[in-house]
Amino acid sequence: MFEKLGTAAKHIQSIYPTTPKVGIVLGSGLGAFIDSISDPTIIPYSEIPFFRNTTVEGHEGRLILGKIDNVEVAVLQGRLHGYEGLPMDEVVFPVRVLATLGIESLILTNAAGGINTSFIPGDLVVIEDHINMLGTNPLVGPNISELGPRFPDMTRAYNVDLKNILRDSADELKINIKSGIYCALLGPTYETPAEIKMLRAIGADMVGMSTVPESIAANHLGLKVCGVSCITNMAAGINDEKLTHDDVKIQALKVMELFSTLLSKAITKMNQID
Ligand code: HPA
């Protein structure tokens, strides 16, 4: 695994030699954020050694390198999910490659169902913390000690400085940003109303099928991590609506402009901390 990371990173460096500072993973329907990148270099996952391609509609499967306001970024447009049948170490491989390239901070984004009834579709939510209900963990198996410790601390999985930067950026842009606990389930089914009741009882504010594996792998690597959920629907059973991936993508597109402005501002500020 460690050697594979080096091979993938070397290939990317041969195309784009500059070290990225901030990594970004784009969630369902949020791929248009890449329009904010100046002079983008685009590398399809299929051309990067050992990268698996995503099978999910709304996820492009491309790595984009370039600048946002003079900050070097590496953006994963299209993520891999456990429900695609991939082993967890393949799901987190792209994030580990970004770390090998040298990113210091990682912004995870996703489309999520709102469990907290004060949320509405279209809300942007800073991920305060997460609950892992995937039934697995990307660090299961022999520890790769070159990457990090056997038992990583997760008490501050979402970096306080980065969370503050997201909130300050939203304030400056007059975006009403919320905060919440993200819970990941394996999927690919959406949840039942009974499951949503259970998730609310254990303290979840929003639910999705991603983010947690990457967050765990990035914490293992010692990266600073933060996350933003885009609430695309109220979770199952909160209203009468059925859930569809098309509606999730449509709602994500609706907040695209706000989301891109927020992320761009936050990235500029992240460049100013060490
Ligand atoms: N549940 C799980 N994943 C999701 C949802 C949801 O309601 N909305 C967007 N991704």
Side-chain angles (χ1 to χ4, degrees), residues 113-163:
I115 296 175
N116 185 323
T117 50
S118 77
F119 292 175
I120 53 168
D123 274 348
L124 296 177
V125 186
V126 174
I127 301 178
E128 198 55 54
D129 199 352
H130 76 221
I131 300 173
N132 179 6
M133 296 276 280
L134 294 165
T136 182
N137 185 304
L139 305 183
V140 168
N143 184 47
I144 308 170
S145 55
E146 291 93 338
L147 301 184
R150 172 73 292 188
F151 301 109
D153 176 45
M154 292 291 282
T155 50
R156 289 182 195 81
Y158 296 84
N159 182 275
V160 175
D161 294 335
L162 298 194
K163 285 190 281 198

Side-chain angles (χ1 to χ4, degrees), residues 172-199:
E172 285 171 30
L173 294 164
K174 306 212 176 343
I175 297 172
N176 176 15
I177 203 161
K178 300 186 174 163
S179 294
I181 309 286
Y182 177 88
C183 181
L185 272 63
L186 185 61
T189 48
Y190 290 112
E191 302 69 35
T192 62
E195 284 164 345
I196 293 303
K197 271 191 199 154
M198 172 194 71
L199 298 185

Side-chain angles (χ1 to χ4, degrees), residues 7-36:
T7 308
K10 270 208 193 93
H11 178 77
I12 295 162
Q13 281 159 339
S14 73
I15 299 169
Y16 192 88
T18 318
T19 302
K21 179 138 187 184
V22 179
I24 301 138
V25 183
L26 296 175
S28 286
L30 299 170
F33 171 73
I34 63 148
D35 296 342
S36 317

Side-chain angles (χ1 to χ4, degrees), residues 251-271:
Q251 185 59 48
L253 266 183
K254 283 192 194 160
V255 294
M256 205 51 236
E257 211 176 305
L258 268 194
F259 172 82
S260 291
T261 325
L262 173 71
L263 242 57
S264 298
K265 192 166 204 79
I267 288 164
T268 313
K269 285 178 187 283
M270 285 175 196
N271 196 36

Side-chain angles (χ1 to χ4, degrees), residues 111-113 190-191 207-209 232-233 235 243 248:
Y190 290 112
E191 302 69 35
V207 61
M209 306 172 195
T232 50
N233 56 280
L243 307 184
V248 166

